[in-house]
Amino acid sequence: MIFVRLNGTRCRNMAATAAIKNAIFKLLRSAGAALSLPDEWRILKQSGNISGHPRNFCTKTTIGFRQQMDHTVPPKEYKWVPNNLISENFTLGANGHVCIVLNRQVQVPAHVVKRLWKNATLRCAVDGGSNHWRDFVIAQAASTEPKQTKSKNDNEGASVELVDPPDLITGDFDSITEETVEFFKSTPKINTPDQDATDFTKAFTVLQPVMVQRKLHDVVVFHDCSGRLDQIMGNLNTLYKMQKETCNVYLLSGNSITWLLRPGKHTIQIPLDLVTNQRWCALMPVGSTAHNVTTTGLKWNLYHAQLDFGGVVSTSNTYSTEFVQVQTDSNLIWSMGAYEFEDKPRSTHS
Ligand SMILES: Cc1ncc(C[n+]2csc(CCOP(=O)(O)OP(=O)(O)O)c2C)c(N)n1
Ligand SMILES: O=c1ccn([C@@H]2O[C@H](COP(=O)(O)O)[C@@H](O)[C@H]2O)c(=O)[nH]1
């Protein structure tokens, strides 16, 4: 078992940093060629021609105070295809992606979790997230036909080799249990004791050198919107902290996908069933006011509008077409219903 200690975001100990890098590079070397993925596997991809457009749903527009956009600098353009994180045929980033498990029960449908995890280049459980990953591994093993399992005797009474263990476990280790430490005894544990940042944020400190080295840009995070509100807000804050051009972080819960839209022009290709079933989506100006937001493709569109807490926050929105466009001068959290739909489909009447 490898234990490495890291003083979080304020890393003062260069020797510890070098030890972490060595441990991770050793880890990656041992994983070898199995980690490389074909070029066509991309989360972000150019939207293709779509046949069979759904009918256009009625839209309503909120006109904001500011009518001017600054046209001197063309906005950065981003294309998002969340279907890649929803459907069985999703594709992944050119060099693969990172998977992170946070300290909540894994609620994303198991087949999606297993595909994302299996195809990940780097897998990390964050502190108590490792307890939940252990539960997931055991549940999957128990639910799999014996003939499909690789043979292995262990005291859980079923094979636990079907779902791989994490490549590393990070955190201040106040939540991981002894049982889980034992269960993942061959997984490197990297201690991040700093109490000025969340374990989730600190996990990026550990992962980033590897992400840079392996050109990994997409991070899929299994979290859940149940549990502590402070942690949920903290997780959104981590999205803001990680908002580099080269890093896209997706929070996946049992019924939603959430990510950060940076200033620029975004095209989000919405899976058709979400459009036809009028599932929810939201644009939330967490942290600061967005002064100039224009959207198309939503039922309640914005036109050079201001979004802020205490003012307009676009929750309980839905789609009018399959392509949503959002032009924003400030960061916005985009969240959309996906996977299991406990929420009632919105009426298609306007
Ligand atoms: C201004 C301020 N407020 C609060 C804290 C406390 N704090 C912020 S992040 C953090 C670590 C949280 O660790 P994490 O494992 O993510 O959550 P836990 O389950 O331990 O609460 C702590 C203690 C702080 N350092 N500074
Ligand atoms: O209710 C919760 C609790 C935790 N998280 C996330 O998981 C990590 C690790 O949590 P630990 O309690 O330290 O094991 C934490 O940093 C949060 O990002 C959560 O999302 N919801």
Side-chain angles (χ1 to χ4, degrees), residues 101-104 126-129 172-176 198-201 223-224 226-232 234-235 238:
V101 191
L102 297 182
N103 187 11
R104 298 308 300 162
V126 179
D127 202 349
D172 57 8
F173 299 139
D174 59 354
S175 305
I176 189 171
T198 68
D199 280 351
F200 179 31
T201 298
H223 86 135
D224 201 63
S226 62
R228 287 169 46 180
L229 180 66
D230 66 329
Q231 296 278 24
I232 294 168
N235 293 345
T238 305

Side-chain angles (χ1 to χ4, degrees), residues 183-320:
F183 190 82
F184 293 126
K185 56 176 176 278
S186 54
T187 300
K189 320 276 186 311
I190 298 178
N191 187 11
T192 57
D194 178 11
Q195 293 300 294
D196 287 336
T198 68
D199 280 351
F200 179 31
T201 298
K202 288 177 287 180
F204 278 98
T205 315
V206 176
L207 294 170
Q208 256 170 351
V210 188
M211 290 176 64
V212 169
Q213 194 223 10
R214 298 195 62 92
K215 298 187 172 60
L216 302 174
H217 305 303
D218 298 304
V219 182
V220 172
V221 182
F222 302 122
H223 86 135
D224 201 63
C225 298
S226 62
R228 287 169 46 180
L229 180 66
D230 66 329
Q231 296 278 24
I232 294 168
M233 296 303 286
N235 293 345
L236 295 181
N237 187 43
T238 305
L239 297 189
Y240 279 74
K241 281 175 177 278
M242 296 306 136
Q243 56 154 320
K244 299 199 179 80
E245 287 302 322
T246 53
C247 186
N248 303 309
V249 185
Y250 306 88
L251 297 179
L252 271 53
S253 79
N255 65 3
S256 65
I257 301 177
T258 302
W259 70 94
L260 187 84
L261 302 184
R262 294 180 275 266
K265 190 173 174 184
H266 300 263
T267 304
I268 308 166
Q269 185 177 342
I270 309 300
L272 270 177
D273 63 317
L274 302 188
V275 180
T276 45
N277 287 304
Q278 293 284 273
R279 295 295 174 181
W280 67 268
C281 63
L283 278 169
M284 293 169 290
V286 181
S288 63
T289 301
H291 291 100
N292 201 341
V293 183
T294 297
T295 66
T296 59
L298 297 174
K299 179 166 178 178
W300 286 273
N301 280 302
L302 301 156
Y303 184 69
H304 299 298
Q306 177 167 313
L307 290 186
D308 59 359
F309 274 89
V312 176
V313 174
S314 179
T315 53
S316 296
N317 214 328
T318 188
Y319 311 107
S320 64

